[in-house]
């Protein structure tokens, strides 16, 4: 049957995948010529019915159907097995690093560093609450996380996954009998990452129609785990829950964009895409920025006419529905309503509506100019809608992100504390060059680059072909004496049968740019690298085109060549990586942090439940988890008032008078201050990047190693650094602060 060609409104016949050969489908004719065949029999020849050829053909088709069925079953079983083995591998690495099953519960909790422990504390709160209802009420009326502020934790933090896991654990007795709460939590996360690998496997399988490509993509992902995941040592982080959902969604979108799928399969695919997208947004506060890249890739694919517009519109609407649904679940979270992606989706939908289903008319340069105009229109509309939305809802909580980005790329030379703190965090730096060397040694990066070069050339060629064909049609229609040529009507671009490749190529470019700019976000890009590298090795149509040029046209030869190539690359990857994996699995370590354990035990045993603690954001996450005490600040840094409060509290690492520090903490209701020598006397990884230096800069004080151009902005402080001078216990300090506890790492002062 004819099908619509990428939203242009013209019907096309089926074409070969390379875009150069047309196949005629005779089933479209409504008249048939019968040559004596009836009921599957041929005419009588020499007194016999010749049924042997028809029977052989039917047997061959049945054999192919059974072979396909067996291959599908084997492929899915292998996907599930590899997902299970990946979960076991992550568990083994985690166990070997910490001896998690043998250490004390407080040590297990301390091993969840920084915000990881902060998020896990809410799961613990649900599990140990008197009842589920009381636990939920405590979360929505939280007085402990930010002292003297009642917050709704379900609105402020993406912790629905902790709530759901806590409710599941409490509801099912067999789970309680089988696992302690903390083990059920980590095994749930590891299982999700088994699903993560299955999603990557299936994406590569769909792109190549060979589950061997899925095996290769899985191998690339697992053996490059230093750059593809960090779940084995940061289990409760939001990305540990969100990334499996993101790449499950990517697998569904890959299938949905394929041109030939049944209506039922498309509906099922949309349903799974909706569910995975919803869970992705629900579980990660940074999902909005990932969605922005995805929406831009979808819009770009539609504007270049590589993907049918109606499918892109449906996916953009799906994104908007997910954002609004999560916004409602998070009690109308302003960050989602005022997000840039929500504004972009509205602008893109409006522009696609204006474009309609008509292709760009005119010449190639005219089409390119119109494309630029549409892109500029969408960007301007996005900014206007976003500014209007933020003004209407009074959103200022995300300003620190834009300050950081402007400072990072040299647009503004800011001395803002929040921006400097992000800049000095190595995770937010540029992607190091040694990342590419690691990936190249295990083959995945060179293969990916070769594939991307080929895909981008194919994409550019396809766009050129599309615009050229439309220009030919436009010229033909202007000349009444010249009818549209059949060649122009039947023309087809290089990627018309593979729109999912166009989308994935654009999405991969955007993800790569993000990863290059911010190292922490490489975990969004490198799964794309693994999938596309496997695609390049195993793709049938690539091998067919290559072998056809070399004069080999045998179908079995093409299949054999791509499978052999996949096996060879897989064998090479295994030979390179397996020795390192075995060595890593044999390396046994044990968690050891006696100073932090001693501090947590002292707080829990020697101080009342209602006491309020101030300290570094990272440490206070552990205090909340291990002791349940009240906090003045914490690592979730997405609230403007909390950021301002944190800067004030951190003055004990600056050059301030004891009276000033005392007044700040009395105003916050602080009972105890925890000072860390590792912060107070830290060595700078980069000039001006110690926390005390950042406090000095924000206060306008000179810091050690200040540059000459900074001298006009900074002045010499008249007092010493509080965290250092207080150790002398002079009367000026002891009248406000009393040393209640200390060890080699921590000093705890009671605010008098």
């Amino acid at each position: 049957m004819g099908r619509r060609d990428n939203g242009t409104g013209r019907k096309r016949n089926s074409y070969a995948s390379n875009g150069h050969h047309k196949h005629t489908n005779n089933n479209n004719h409504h008249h048939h010529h019968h040559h004596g065949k009836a009921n599957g029999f041929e005419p009588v020849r020499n007194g016999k019915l010749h049924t042997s050829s028809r029977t052989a053909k039917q047997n061959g088709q049945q054999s192919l159907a059974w072979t396909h069925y067996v291959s599908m079953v084997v492929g899915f079983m292998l996907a599930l097995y590899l997902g299970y083995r990946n979960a076991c591998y992550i568990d083994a690495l985690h166990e070997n690093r910490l001896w998690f099953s043998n250490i004390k519960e407080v040590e297990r909790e301390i091993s969840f560093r920084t915000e990881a422990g902060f998020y896990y504390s809410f799961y613990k709160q649900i599990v140990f609450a008197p009842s589920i209802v009381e636990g939920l009420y405590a979360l929505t009326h939280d007085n402990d996380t930010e002292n003297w502020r009642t917050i709704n934790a379900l609105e402020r933090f993406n912790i629905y996954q902790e709530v759901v896991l806590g409710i599941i654990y409490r509801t099912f007795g067999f789970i309680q009998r089988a696992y302690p709460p903390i083990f059920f939590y980590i095994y749930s996360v590891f299982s999700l990452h088994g699903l993560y690998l299955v999603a990557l496997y299936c994406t590569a399988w769909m792109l190549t129609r060979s589950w061997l490509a899925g095996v290769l993509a899985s191998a690339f992902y697992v053996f490059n785990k230093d750059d593809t995941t960090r779940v084995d040592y940061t289990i409760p982080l939001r990305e540990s829950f969100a990334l499996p959902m993101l790449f499950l969604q990517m697998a569904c979108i890959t299938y949905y964009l394929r041109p030939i799928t049944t209506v039922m399969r498309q509906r099922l695919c949309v349903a799974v895409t909706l569910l995975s997208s919803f869970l992705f947004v629900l579980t990660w506060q940074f999902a909005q920025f990932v969605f922005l890249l995805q929406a831009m890739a979808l819009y770009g694919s539609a504007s270049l006419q590589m993907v049918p517009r109606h499918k892109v519109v449906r996916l953009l609407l799906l994104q908007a529905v997910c954002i609004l649904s999560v916004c409602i679940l998070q009690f109308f979270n302003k960050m989602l309503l005022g997000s840039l992606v929500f504004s972009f989706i509205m602008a893109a939908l409006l522009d696609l509506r204006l474009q309609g289903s008509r292709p760009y008319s005119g010449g190639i340069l005219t089409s390119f100019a119109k494309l630029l105009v549409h892109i500029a229109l969408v960007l301007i509309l996005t900014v206007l809608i976003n500014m209007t939305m933020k003004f209407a809802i009074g959103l200022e909580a995300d300003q620190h992100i834009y300050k950081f980005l402007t400072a990072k790329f040299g647009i503004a030379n800011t001395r803002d504390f929040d921006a400097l703190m992000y800049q000095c965090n190595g995770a937010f730096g540029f992607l190091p060059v040694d990342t590419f060397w690691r990936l190249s040694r295990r083959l995945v990066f060179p293969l990916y680059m070769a594939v991307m070069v080929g895909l981008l050339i194919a994409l550019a060629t396809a766009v050129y072909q599309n615009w050229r064909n439309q220009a030919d049609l436009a010229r033909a229609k202007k000349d009444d004496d010249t009818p549209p040529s059949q060649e122009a009507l039947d023309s087809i671009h290089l990627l018309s049968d593979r729109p999912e490749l166009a989308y994935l190529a654009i999405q991969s470019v955007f993800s790569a740019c993000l990863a290059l700019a911010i190292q922490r976000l490489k975990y969004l890009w490198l799964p794309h690298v693994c999938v596309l590298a496997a695609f390049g090795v195993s793709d049938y149509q690539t091998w067919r085109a290559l072998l056809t040029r070399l004069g080999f046209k045998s179908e079995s030869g093409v299949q054999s060549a791509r499978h052999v190539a996949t096996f060879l690359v897989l064998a090479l990857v295994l030979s390179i990586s397996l020795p390192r994996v075995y060595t890593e699995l044999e390396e046994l370590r044990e968690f050891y942090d006696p100073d932090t354990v001693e501090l947590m035990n002292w707080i829990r045993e020697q101080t009342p439940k209602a006491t309020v603690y101030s300290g570094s954001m990272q440490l206070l996450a552990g205090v909340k988890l291990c002791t349940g005490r009240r906090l003045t600040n914490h690592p979730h840094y997405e609230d403007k008032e909390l950021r301002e409060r944190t800067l004030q509290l951190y003055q004990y690492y600056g050059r301030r008078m004891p009276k000033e520090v005392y007044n700040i903490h009395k105003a916050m209701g602080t009972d105890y201050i925890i000072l860390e020598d590792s912060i107070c006397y830290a060595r700078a990884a980069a000039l001006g990047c110690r926390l005390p230096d950042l406090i000095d800069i924000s206060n306008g004080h000179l810091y050690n190693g200040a540059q000459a151009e900074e001298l006009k902005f900074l002045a010499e402080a008249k007092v010493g650094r509080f965290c250092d001078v207080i150790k002398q216990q002079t009367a000026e300090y002891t009248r406000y602060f009393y040393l209640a506890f200390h060890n080699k790492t921590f000093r705890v002062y009671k605010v008098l």
Side-chain angles (χ1 to χ4, degrees):
M1 296 293 292
R3 62 179 178 82
R4 291 195 179 274
D5 181 26
N6 299 318
T8 62
R10 293 177 292 153
K11 289 195 173 183
R12 304 288 195 188
N13 291 324
S14 298
Y15 286 80
S17 59
N18 60 11
H20 299 295
H21 302 286
K22 181 178 69 174
H23 299 282
T24 303
N25 188 350
N26 292 325
N27 292 330
N28 290 335
H29 297 288
H30 296 285
H31 58 278
H32 303 275
H33 299 285
H34 299 278
H35 298 285
K37 291 186 181 181
N39 300 322
F41 293 95
E42 293 186 0
V44 176
R45 296 180 184 174
N46 299 325
K48 295 182 180 180
L49 289 173
H50 289 267
T51 62
S52 58
S53 62
R54 181 62 176 262
T55 303
K57 184 177 181 180
Q58 289 177 343
N59 290 338
Q61 290 175 345
Q62 290 177 356
S63 176
L64 287 174
W66 274 103
T67 302
H68 176 72
Y69 175 77
V70 171
S71 178
M72 291 287 288
V73 171
V74 171
F76 279 118
M77 294 297 292
L78 190 56
L80 294 175
Y81 175 75
L82 290 176
Y84 168 74
R85 294 306 303 170
N86 183 53
C88 293
Y89 177 52
I90 295 170
D91 179 42
L93 292 175
H94 179 253
E95 175 68 18
N96 290 356
R97 179 178 289 110
L98 300 174
W99 203 8
F100 198 75
S101 61
N102 195 64
I103 58 179
K104 299 176 182 178
E105 186 71 9
V106 65
E107 293 176 310
R108 291 171 183 158
E109 292 178 348
I110 292 171
S111 71
F112 294 155
R113 301 289 188 181
T114 65
E115 67 262 41
F118 178 73
Y119 293 125
Y120 178 78
S121 69
F122 295 106
Y123 166 78
K124 182 180 176 182
Q125 189 172 336
I126 288 290
V127 168
F128 292 103
S131 68
I132 293 175
V133 173
E134 291 182 63
L136 291 173
Y137 182 84
L139 291 182
T140 55
H141 301 77
D142 187 348
N143 299 311
D144 297 336
T145 302
E146 296 176 17
N147 189 49
W148 288 356
R149 288 183 72 190
T150 299
I151 64 171
N152 184 343
L154 291 177
E155 175 193 355
R156 283 278 301 279
F157 318 124
N158 296 73
I159 57 169
Y160 270 98
Q161 51 268 53
E162 276 73 27
V163 172
V164 171
L165 288 176
I167 292 174
I168 291 173
Y169 186 83
R170 292 186 62 132
T171 303
F172 298 100
F174 71 91
I175 296 178
Q176 298 175 29
R177 291 189 293 271
Y179 304 106
I182 197 168
F183 281 91
F184 173 69
Y185 184 91
I186 66 171
Y187 290 159
S188 298
V189 176
F190 295 159
S191 299
L192 273 179
H193 280 256
L195 175 65
Y196 187 177
L197 193 74
V198 171
L200 297 180
Y201 175 106
C202 290
T203 304
W205 186 3
M206 284 186 288
L207 288 174
T208 61
R209 291 174 172 79
S210 169
W211 48 258
L212 280 175
V215 176
L216 184 58
S218 302
F220 282 144
Y221 176 83
V222 171
F223 295 138
N224 291 280
K225 71 170 186 62
D226 294 338
D227 297 299
T228 57
T229 183
R230 53 178 181 165
V231 66
D232 55 310
Y233 59 92
T234 57
I235 298 169
L237 286 187
R238 304 301 81 187
E239 67 193 50
S240 298
F241 294 90
L243 291 183
M245 297 299 104
L246 174 65
F247 286 95
L248 175 61
Q249 181 226 45
M250 185 183 83
C252 293
I253 290 177
T254 300
Y255 187 80
Y256 177 68
L257 293 181
R258 292 166 64 177
I260 304 174
T261 54
T262 64
V263 174
M264 183 58 68
R265 289 179 180 178
Q266 284 196 21
R267 289 176 179 172
L268 178 61
C269 196
V270 168
V272 179
T273 304
L274 178 64
L275 177 62
S276 55
S277 300
F278 168 76
L279 293 175
F280 175 60
V281 180
L282 186 66
T283 53
W284 199 17
Q285 70 269 29
F286 294 129
Q288 54 174 293
F289 301 105
V290 181
F291 258 21
L292 177 61
L293 293 183
Q294 192 176 81
M296 291 169 64
L298 287 168
Y299 170 76
S301 303
S303 295
L304 292 172
Q305 300 168 13
M306 295 294 102
V307 175
R309 284 196 179 100
H310 71 276
K311 289 190 175 183
V312 169
V313 168
R314 185 174 296 174
L315 290 172
L316 290 176
L317 286 172
L318 182 147
Q319 282 189 334
V321 167
C322 291
I323 291 171
L324 289 174
S325 301
V326 173
C327 178
I328 293 170
L329 271 180
Q330 289 192 302
F331 301 85
F332 297 95
N333 188 316
K334 291 182 179 180
M335 287 280 285
L336 290 171
L337 283 178
S339 63
L340 204 58
V341 63
F342 193 65
S343 303
F344 179 85
I345 289 172
M346 289 190 284
L349 288 173
L350 178 60
D351 182 71
L352 290 174
R353 177 72 175 176
L354 292 175
Q355 290 185 36
S357 60
R358 295 171 298 174
Y360 299 132
S361 58
I364 294 173
L365 291 178
T366 303
S367 297
F368 180 69
K370 288 182 177 179
L371 174 66
L372 294 181
V373 168
H374 280 284
I375 291 174
L377 175 64
V378 168
L379 293 178
I380 293 171
L381 277 175
T382 298
V383 173
L384 292 176
I385 293 171
N386 191 250
M387 291 174 63
T388 304
M389 186 74 74
K390 286 183 176 179
F391 178 78
I393 63 178
L395 176 64
E396 295 180 332
D398 60 350
Q399 293 303 309
H400 64 298
I401 297 173
Y402 300 107
K403 289 179 182 178
F404 159 65
L405 292 175
T406 55
K408 181 178 179 66
F409 295 106
I411 300 173
N413 185 16
T414 180
R415 295 192 302 277
D416 180 78
F417 174 74
D418 302 324
L420 290 174
M421 192 164 61
Y422 277 111
Q423 277 189 281
C424 289
N425 188 329
F428 292 92
F430 292 103
L431 190 65
V433 176
D434 63 350
T435 304
F436 302 107
W437 290 112
R438 284 196 304 272
L439 296 172
S440 297
R441 284 199 300 269
R442 295 166 197 148
L443 304 182
V444 65
F445 187 67
L447 290 171
Y448 167 78
M449 287 303 298
V451 170
M452 283 303 298
V453 169
L455 281 178
L456 292 177
I457 291 174
L459 180 61
T461 304
V463 171
Y464 173 79
Q465 289 174 340
N466 217 20
W467 288 350
R468 183 193 60 193
N469 295 335
Q470 290 160 10
D472 291 343
L473 286 174
R475 282 194 299 270
K477 290 178 181 179
K478 283 183 179 180
D479 189 352
D480 294 335
D481 297 329
T482 306
S485 65
Q486 187 63 39
E487 181 181 356
L489 289 172
D490 291 338
S491 62
I492 194 166
H493 62 74
L494 192 59
L495 294 176
S496 61
D497 286 337
R498 310 193 75 177
E500 71 276 16
L501 284 180
Y503 162 71
L504 287 175
I506 297 172
Q507 177 70 62
S508 185
V509 169
F510 286 160
S511 299
C513 292
L514 195 65
L516 291 172
I518 301 176
Q519 179 183 348
R520 183 176 179 178
L521 299 180
K522 66 181 179 180
Y523 304 110
L524 296 171
W525 173 48
L526 288 170
H528 286 274
V529 172
C530 298
V531 169
L532 290 176
F535 157 78
V537 175
S538 304
D539 183 52
Y540 167 79
Q541 295 183 14
T542 302
W543 278 102
R544 188 181 68 177
L546 178 62
L547 293 179
T548 299
R549 284 184 173 275
L550 297 176
F552 299 98
K553 298 183 179 180
S554 168
E555 175 72 15
S556 59
V558 174
Q559 295 286 6
S560 299
R562 70 171 183 142
H563 292 325
V564 168
T566 306
F567 270 119
L568 289 176
V569 174
L570 182 60
L572 189 55
V573 170
L574 291 173
S575 66
I576 293 171
S577 303
L578 278 181
R580 182 181 61 87
V581 170
Y582 289 140
T583 301
E584 193 174 34
L585 288 173
E586 292 172 357
E587 185 177 354
L588 303 179
R589 303 178 187 176
E590 182 179 354
F591 176 85
Y592 184 75
D593 190 356
D595 289 347
T596 306
V597 171
E598 184 184 13
L599 172 66
M600 298 304 169
N601 287 335
W602 179 83
I603 293 174
R604 191 169 53 230
E605 296 168 4
Q606 301 297 325
T607 63
K609 180 74 173 176
T611 49
V612 181
Y613 283 83
S614 177
S616 68
M617 294 183 289
Q618 297 82 358
L619 180 63
L620 289 187
V623 171
K624 176 177 173 60
L625 170 58
C626 298
T627 71
R629 300 305 189 262
R630 293 184 175 182
L631 313 178
T632 54
N633 60 320
H634 54 77
H636 195 277
Y637 212 57
E638 310 307 317
D639 179 73
K640 182 181 179 182
E641 186 174 338
L642 179 69
R643 293 195 298 271
E644 293 172 350
R645 172 187 280 211
T646 299
L647 177 58
Q648 287 297 308
L649 292 168
Y650 275 5
Q651 294 304 314
Y652 41 62
Y653 288 120
R655 302 176 190 273
R656 286 298 189 102
M657 296 291 291
K659 176 66 173 176
E660 293 177 301
V661 175
Y662 175 80
N663 289 338
I664 289 171
H665 285 275
K666 270 299 181 181
M668 303 288 183
T670 304
D671 294 315
Y672 291 92
I673 296 174
I674 306 175
L675 297 180
E676 300 171 61
D677 288 346
S678 59
I679 296 177
C680 188
Y681 304 110
R683 294 181 179 179
L687 187 63
C689 273
R690 301 185 313 143
L691 180 57
D693 295 339
L694 300 183
I695 299 297
D696 287 344
I697 294 171
S698 66
N699 291 339
H701 294 158
L702 279 174
Y703 64 93
N704 295 333
Q707 301 296 305
E709 61 270 16
E710 295 178 292
L711 297 179
K712 57 183 176 181
F713 302 112
L714 305 176
E716 187 74 37
K718 297 180 180 179
V719 296
R721 195 169 304 283
F722 178 89
C723 63
D724 178 41
V725 179
I726 194 176
K727 293 178 70 174
Q728 300 173 12
Q729 290 289 284
T730 61
E732 189 179 14
Y733 286 84
T734 55
R735 66 183 296 186
Y736 300 114
F737 305 98
Y738 164 72
L739 181 63
F741 170 86
H742 70 95
N743 59 25
K744 291 184 293 184
T745 305
F746 304 103
R747 288 175 280 137
V748 181
Y749 293 91
K750 182 172 177 57
V751 181
L752 300 176

